[in-house]
């Protein structure tokens, strides 16, 4: 049987419900566990964490809206993630982590081999936390590197912290989705982010909703989209003091980029198809030998 999901929102969980969740974790029958805004005792939270540690199937863990409510729970979650090897997405939105809590959690995050998505929105983070998060962005021998990062509504982060994040995203990350909505960024930080986007080879989605931007930064973003080849496909600028005309111009240019990429992909596929037809009609046959691992480990042998 394929692993399923348990999704509970805003309820007070009984001991029997906690027991069933823990059994499902140990039996590897859960791929997604979401306890968003639920109420559970410290003892039951510890039981959940031990179940997470033992699970080999759990890919997404959602503890949003205050479940990780104190430093002891942060420590228990960190211990679970040190053992767990399957979680790919961790959502802690609305948890009062602070920089101190993230410092406790960071050693487990930095060595986790599968983690690619983090939601630390509204977690009361500051510049010290940003320094730790930047260390999670580049891949290395122990981890794959983050592909999705949410830092919405963390007003304690200063321009120094955002500048450090912009540099990390530009030069050493594989981030595809970056959500910074509802932070007081302003035009200066948005300008730094524009440079970061122009340098990044992977960033496809940038959410800057409600971040205090004006037409000044929108013009910089427009220039970036118009004149520099980027991977960006979606730029969210709602609830800023930016004219609808500028927002529409940026949106149209991003849409044109998607159409151009689709056309180029079709042309490449056509060329590859024609190339293969030419090879198969030649007197020399080509045999492709693969490793069977799904990677591009190919050897060509003439027969």
């Amino acid at each position: 049987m394929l692993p399923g999901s348990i999704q509970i929102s805003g309820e007070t969980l009984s001991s029997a419900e906690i027991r069933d969740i823990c059994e499902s974790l140990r039996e590897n029958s859960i791929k997604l566990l979401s306890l968003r805004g639920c109420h559970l005792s410290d003892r039951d939270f510890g039981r959940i964490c031990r179940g997470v540690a033992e699970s080999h199937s759990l890919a997404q863990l959602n503890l949003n809206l205050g479940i990780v409510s104190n430093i002891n729970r942060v420590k228990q979650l960190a211990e679970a993630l040190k053992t767990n090897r399957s979680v790919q997405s961790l959502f802690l939105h609305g948890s009062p982590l602070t920089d101190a809590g993230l410092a406790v959690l960071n050693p487990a995050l930095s060595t986790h081999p599968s983690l690619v998505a983090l939601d630390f929105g509204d977690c009361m983070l500051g510049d010290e936390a940003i320094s730790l998060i930047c260390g999670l962005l580049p891949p290395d021998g122990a981890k794959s590197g983050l592909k999705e990062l949410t830092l919405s509504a963390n007003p304690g982060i200063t321009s120094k912290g955002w500048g450090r994040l912009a540099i990390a995203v530009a030069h050493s990350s594989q981030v595809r989705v970056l959500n910074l909505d509802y932070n007081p960024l302003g035009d200066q930080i948005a300008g730094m982010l524009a440079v970061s986007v122009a340098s990044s080879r992977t960033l496809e989605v940038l959410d800057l909703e409600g971040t205090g931007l004006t037409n000044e930064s929108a013009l910089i973003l427009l220039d970036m989209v118009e004149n520099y080849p980027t991977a960006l496909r979606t730029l969210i600028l709602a609830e800023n003091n930016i004219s609808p005309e500028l927002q529409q111009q940026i949106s149209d240019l991003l849409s044109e980029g998607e159409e151009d990429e689709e056309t180029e992909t079709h042309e490449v596929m056509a060329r590859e198809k024609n190339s293969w037809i030419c090879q198969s009609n030649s007197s020399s046959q080509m045999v492709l030998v693969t490793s069977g691992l799904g990677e591009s480990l190919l050897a060509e042998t003439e027969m």
Side-chain angles (χ1 to χ4, degrees), residues 155-170:
I157 301 170
T158 71
S159 58
K160 179 182 177 181
W162 293 124
R164 180 169 290 176
L165 180 70
I167 293 170
V169 169

Side-chain angles (χ1 to χ4, degrees), residues 15 18 40-50 73 76:
S15 295
I18 295 294
L40 59 162
S41 68
D42 287 342
R43 177 176 176 271
D44 286 340
F45 182 83
R47 292 168 64 190
I48 293 289
C49 286
R50 288 191 290 275
R73 291 194 177 191
Q76 289 175 308

Side-chain angles (χ1 to χ4, degrees), residues 71-279:
I71 196 67
N72 288 328
R73 291 194 177 191
V74 174
K75 290 176 180 176
Q76 289 175 308
L77 178 59
E79 287 301 314
L81 292 173
K82 285 179 182 177
T83 304
N84 176 278
R85 288 293 177 266
S86 63
V87 171
Q88 299 172 23
S89 303
L90 176 64
F91 302 137
L92 301 179
H93 200 113
S95 303
L97 286 181
T98 72
D99 289 359
L102 191 58
V104 170
L105 198 57
N106 185 67
L109 301 179
S110 63
T111 56
H112 198 288
S114 303
L115 202 61
V116 292
L118 285 175
D119 185 344
F120 288 147
D122 194 17
C123 284
M124 303 171 64
L125 302 181
D127 290 351
E128 291 181 19
I130 286 292
S131 296
L132 298 174
I133 291 168
C134 287
L136 302 174
L137 295 182
D140 62 24
K143 58 183 176 60
S144 59
L146 295 182
K147 292 181 172 59
E148 297 185 20
L149 176 61
T150 296
L151 293 170
S152 315
N154 280 292
I157 301 170
T158 71
S159 58
K160 179 182 177 181
W162 293 124
R164 180 169 290 176
L165 180 70
I167 293 170
V169 169
H171 293 291
S172 61
S173 81
Q174 297 180 344
V175 171
R176 292 192 298 230
V177 178
L178 182 60
N179 298 313
L180 305 180
D181 47 312
Y182 298 105
N183 285 297
L185 302 181
D187 289 329
Q188 182 179 5
I189 295 169
M192 290 191 290
L193 290 169
V195 175
S196 180
V197 173
S199 302
S200 172
R201 297 181 179 180
T202 61
L203 190 63
E204 298 175 359
V205 178
L206 177 61
D207 188 350
L208 298 177
E209 181 176 357
T211 51
L213 308 188
T214 71
N215 286 345
E216 180 182 337
S217 52
L219 286 169
I220 294 173
L221 292 165
L222 176 64
D223 181 69
M224 174 205 68
V225 172
E226 190 170 22
N227 296 305
Y228 296 90
T230 75
L232 195 66
R233 296 293 171 263
T234 302
L235 178 59
I236 301 171
L237 295 172
E239 295 193 34
N240 286 297
N241 190 23
I242 298 173
S243 70
E245 293 79 13
L246 268 177
Q247 293 195 47
Q248 190 61 51
Q249 281 182 272
I250 294 171
S251 177
D252 290 344
L253 285 169
L254 290 173
S255 298
E256 286 176 13
E258 279 191 337
E259 292 171 3
D260 292 344
E261 186 177 76
E262 288 177 5
T263 301
E264 184 178 342
T265 300
H266 290 316
E267 289 175 352
V268 169
M269 291 175 67
R271 285 197 300 270
E272 289 177 348
K273 182 178 179 181
N274 291 336
S275 174
W276 172 248
I277 291 171
C278 291
Q279 288 179 2

